[in-house]
C-alpha cells in the first residue's frame, strides 16, 4: 500500500510503505544536507540498511517502495527524526526554532540547507541541541552538526507593527532589505537620501533603523553620523544598524565608524551583509525595548 506524505507520518508500523516520490526525495535531501556526494547515495543507503547494492540503488532510482522503519533508520543514522527528515527534506519548508545570540533568545522559523563544516565567520547556522532547533552564530568549535540557513524569519511578539527606517542611496538595495524585513513582520519605510529621512523624523519616530553609512547625492558623499546623533538624541535605546561596503575603498573611515559605535551604541556590518543577520540584530534589541 502506498501512503501520502500526510498519512505516512501518522503510521508507525514497519509493514507500512511510503511512496517513492516523497521517500526518495527526502532521503536524497537528507544525504545532501550531510554532504554525501550524489554518486555515493546508493552506497550509503546500502550500508546503513544492510541491503544489496542493487536493492539500495533501486530505492533511489525506481518506483521501489520504502518502509517507515527504513526511513527512520536513515534519519537516526544522521541524528534526525523521521518527521524532520520528511518535512525539512523539501525546500521552502519552515522549521520552528529559537534564535540565540548572546543573552538574546527569540522564537523564529527557518529553512535549513546543507550541512556546513567550516561556516563563514559571523554566519548564522541551525543546530539541533538537546532535541530542540537553535539558530546561533557560527563557531568553529560548535559541538554538534550545523546547517546553513536558507531562510530565516524572526518572530518576536515585539516585531509586530515595529516601524523600521531603511536608508540606502541605492534604492534597489533599500527595497531588498525592506522586503525581507516586511516578511519578518516589520513595517519598513524606505529612504534614498539623508534629507528625506531627516524630514521624516520630524513627523514620526521609528522603532529601529538600518542605515547605509556613506550616502551619495549629486556626486557628493556624506556620512550618516549626524543622522545617528539626531536619532540618539530622540531615542536612547532603539536599534541602529549601520552598513557599508566602503571601508576597503577608503571612502568610509574605519576609526570614525568605531567612534560612532562606541558613542551611539550602533550595530555595524560590512556589506554585503546577510539579511538574516540584520533582522536578528534588530530583533535582539527590540526584544528588550
Amino acid at each position: 500500500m502506498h501512503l501520502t506524505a500526510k498519512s505516512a507520518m501518522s503510521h508507525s508500523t514497519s509493514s507500512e510503505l511510503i511512496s517513492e516520490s516523497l521517500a526518495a526525495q527526502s532521503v536524497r535531501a537528507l544525504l545532501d544536507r550531510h554532504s554525501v556526494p550524489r554518486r555515493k547515495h546508493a552506497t550509503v543507503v546500502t550500508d546503513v540498511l544492510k541491503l544489496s547494492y542493487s536493492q539500495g540503488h533501486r530505492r533511489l532510482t525506481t518506483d521501489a517502495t520504502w518502509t517507515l522503519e527504513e526511513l527512520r533508520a536513515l534519519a537516526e543514522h544522521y541524528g534526525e527524526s523521521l518527521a524532520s527528515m520528511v518535512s525539512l527534506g523539501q525546500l521552502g519548508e519552515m522549521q520552528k526554532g529559537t534564535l540565540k545570540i548572546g543573552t538574546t533568545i527569540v522564537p523564529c522559523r527557518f529553512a535549513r540547507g546543507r550541512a556546513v563544516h567550516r561556516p563563514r565567520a559571523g554566519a548564522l547556522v541551525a543546530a539541533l541541541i538537546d532535541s530542540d532547533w537553535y539558530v546561533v552564530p557560527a563557531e568553529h568549535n560548535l559541538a554538534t552538526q550545523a546547517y546553513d540557513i536558507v531562510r530565516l524569519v524572526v518572530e518576536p511578539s515585539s516585531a509586530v507593527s515595529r516601524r523600521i527606517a531603511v536608508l540606502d542611496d541605492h534604492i534597489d538595495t533599500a527595497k531588498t532589505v525592506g522586503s525581507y524585513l516586511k516578511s519578518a513582520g516589520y513595517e519598513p519605510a524606505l529612504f534614498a537620501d539623508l534629507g528625506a529621512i531627516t524630514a521624516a523624523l520630524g513627523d514620526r519616530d521609528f522603532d529601529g533603523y538600518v542605515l547605509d553609512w556613506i550616502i551619495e547625492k549629486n556626486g557628493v558623499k556624506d556620512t550618516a553620523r549626524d543622522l545617528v546623533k539626531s536619532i540618539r538624541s530622540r531615542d536612547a535605546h532603539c536599534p541602529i544598524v549601520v552598513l557599508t561596503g566602503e571601508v576597503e575603498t577608503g571612502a568610509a573611515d574605519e576609526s570614525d565608524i568605531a567612534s560612532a559605535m562606541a558613542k551611539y551604541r550602533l550595530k555595524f556590518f560590512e556589506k554585503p551583509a546577510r539579511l538574516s543577520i540584520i533582522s536578528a540584530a534588530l530583533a535582539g534589541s527590540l526584544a528588550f525595548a
Side-chain angles (χ1 to χ4, degrees):
M1 179 175 92
H2 290 281
L3 299 179
T4 64
K6 187 173 183 179
S7 61
M9 301 311 302
S10 64
H11 290 73
S12 59
T13 63
S14 60
S15 62
E16 298 288 0
L17 303 177
I18 187 169
S19 64
E20 180 276 339
S21 59
L22 174 60
Q25 290 173 19
S26 297
V27 169
R28 287 199 180 280
L30 169 75
L31 299 178
D32 285 342
R33 288 197 298 277
H34 292 275
S35 301
V36 178
R38 282 291 175 119
R39 67 181 184 278
K40 294 185 178 180
H41 281 195
T43 300
V44 170
V45 170
T46 296
D47 292 343
V48 174
L49 300 182
K50 296 180 172 52
L51 303 171
S52 68
Y53 181 82
S54 61
Q55 288 175 320
H57 184 72
R58 283 199 301 272
R59 290 289 197 282
L60 293 169
T61 59
T62 70
D63 59 355
T65 51
W66 298 71
T67 68
L68 293 181
E69 289 303 326
E70 287 174 339
L71 293 176
R72 184 178 292 109
L74 282 166
E76 292 177 352
H77 180 77
Y78 287 99
E80 298 190 22
S81 68
L82 174 60
S84 68
M85 183 184 80
V86 173
S87 63
L88 291 178
Q90 312 197 37
L91 184 63
E93 290 286 346
M94 301 292 282
Q95 172 78 16
K96 287 185 177 181
T98 301
L99 173 67
K100 187 176 187 299
I101 301 179
T103 58
T104 299
I105 300 176
V106 292
C108 68
R109 289 182 295 122
F110 67 94
R112 79 186 194 205
R114 296 190 175 193
V116 288
H117 302 287
R118 293 182 179 179
R120 182 172 64 84
L124 291 178
V125 296
L128 190 62
I129 303 173
D130 295 330
S131 301
D132 293 314
W133 283 104
Y134 285 85
V135 175
V136 295
E139 297 177 2
H140 292 300
N141 61 346
L142 192 63
T144 187
Q145 178 65 66
Y147 300 87
D148 192 16
I149 299 292
V150 177
R151 181 173 175 77
L152 174 66
V153 177
V154 180
E155 297 183 312
S157 57
S158 58
V160 178
S161 298
R162 293 288 196 175
R163 298 171 305 200
I164 307 298
V166 179
L167 169 68
D168 199 298
D169 53 12
H170 293 87
I171 192 61
D172 287 343
T173 301
K175 287 179 179 178
T176 299
V177 174
S179 178
Y180 188 91
L181 294 179
K182 186 175 182 179
S183 73
Y186 298 101
E187 293 182 10
L190 310 183
F191 301 93
D193 62 76
L194 289 166
I197 190 172
T198 300
L201 290 178
D203 298 326
R204 60 188 292 191
D205 287 327
F206 294 91
D207 298 295
Y209 301 82
V210 179
L211 310 175
D212 192 1
W213 183 250
I214 300 291
I215 300 296
E216 182 174 352
K217 184 176 182 180
N218 299 327
V220 178
K221 292 185 177 181
D222 200 357
T223 74
R225 189 181 183 102
D226 287 344
L227 172 62
V228 169
K229 179 180 179 180
S230 176
I231 292 171
R232 272 289 172 255
S233 69
R234 303 161 65 96
D235 190 330
H237 303 290
C238 68
I240 304 175
V241 176
V242 167
L243 311 172
T244 189
E246 301 280 7
V247 173
E248 292 295 329
T249 67
D253 187 326
E254 186 174 345
S255 62
D256 190 30
I257 296 173
S259 171
M261 289 176 66
K263 186 171 184 179
Y264 301 116
R265 298 183 304 284
L266 310 180
K267 296 180 184 296
F268 170 70
F269 302 104
E270 287 197 67
K271 289 182 176 179
R274 292 198 174 190
L275 297 176
S276 58
I277 297 289
I278 296 173
S279 181
L282 290 170
S285 296
L286 289 171
F288 297 98

